Amino acid sequence: MSKLLTDLIEALRCLPGVGGKSAQRMAFHLLERDRERGLRLAKALDEAMRQIGNCSRCRNFSETPVCALCSSSSRDRHVLCVVESPTELAAIEQATGYRGQYFVLLGRLSPLDGLGPEELGLDRLAERLGEGEIEEMIIATNPTVEGEATAHYLAQLARAANVKPSRLAHGVPLGGELEFVDRGTLAHAFGSRQSVD
Ligand SMILES: [Zn+2]
């Protein structure tokens, strides 16, 4: 097999769920019948990888210093929802009618993996809570062991800033990841969130 082809197949394997066989099928497909779209894919990948950074306010993906959501004047400035990743932010946006602000941790507390408060941007989150605009902080971390530990820490952070912490309610299966929960369940869990005591 040509070196370029081998390189392409190897590169495609970086995608989640794509093993050697699928990577080869994708590479052959693009070369055999979809070169134009292959080039479009390459261009989009190149631009996205170079230009998408993180919003300085919420840490979600953004190609501008402050993302569209954070700069929108139609979002409620008094509620802040904390999620582990941009995937979950997207799931909440699509499934619920939530109109508040977000903060993306880009991970969860996991000392063994070197993920502490600093890596999760919790100093920035504390600053944000300290600005005094936020009244409720919805903790939407995943119901996993690490997600729960993170939630506990976040609730303390909120209380220290005189902000009411709340948690997504029942309906989210234990150990389940939010992005895989169906829309109805997520919307329900979001709507019937409970304050943390
Ligand atoms: Zn933002």
Side-chain angles (χ1 to χ4, degrees), residues 3-188:
K3 166 150 188 338
L4 289 180
L5 191 49
T6 314
D7 286 353
L8 174 58
I9 292 169
E10 193 45 44
L12 286 166
R13 290 187 59 180
C14 76
L15 295 167
V18 175
K21 275 249 166 63
S22 325
Q24 180 172 314
R25 205 178 312 131
M26 289 174 184
F28 285 177
H29 171 80
L30 292 173
L31 285 167
E32 272 178 58
R33 35 181 148 238
D34 232 342
R35 291 199 181 211
E36 201 174 304
R37 277 201 272 188
L39 285 170
R40 218 187 299 161
L41 171 66
K43 185 165 175 276
L45 256 179
D46 187 72
E47 286 177 349
M49 293 307 118
R50 285 177 205 284
Q51 294 172 31
I52 298 179
N54 295 92
C55 169
S56 61
R57 213 163 152 69
C58 71
R59 311 214 322 160
N60 193 19
F61 294 136
S62 174
E63 56 219 69
T64 48
V66 176
C67 75
L69 209 149
C70 283
S71 29
S72 164
S73 56
S74 64
R75 306 284 307 204
D76 186 344
R77 306 220 151 255
H78 305 296
V79 200
L80 180 79
C81 177
V82 183
V83 292
E84 289 180 19
S85 74
T87 313
E88 278 121 26
L89 187 156
I92 291 170
E93 279 294 288
Q94 284 154 19
T96 71
Y98 180 65
R99 297 294 297 158
Q101 312 285 316
Y102 287 98
F103 189 84
V104 185
L105 300 169
L106 299 175
R108 56 189 105 172
L109 284 181
S110 180
L112 290 178
D113 303 313
L115 287 179
E118 197 179 320
E119 285 71 27
L120 302 186
L122 297 189
D123 44 345
R124 211 181 302 173
L125 176 61
E127 247 173 61
R128 183 110 183 244
L129 296 176
E131 287 171 8
E133 240 179 2
I134 311 285
E135 290 161 11
E136 179 188 358
M137 184 170 90
I138 304 167
I139 303 169
T141 52
N142 284 304
T144 55
V145 175
E146 287 168 341
E148 290 296 333
T150 310
H152 187 73
Y153 193 99
L154 289 170
Q156 287 179 324
L157 207 68
R159 276 188 221 104
N162 260 327
V163 171
K164 182 168 90 74
S166 59
R167 277 289 266 150
L168 294 203
H170 43 75
V172 178
L174 210 63
E177 305 267 333
L178 288 189
E179 68 171 293
F180 299 118
V181 172
D182 69 89
R183 281 179 179 217
T185 307
L186 181 55
H188 175 73

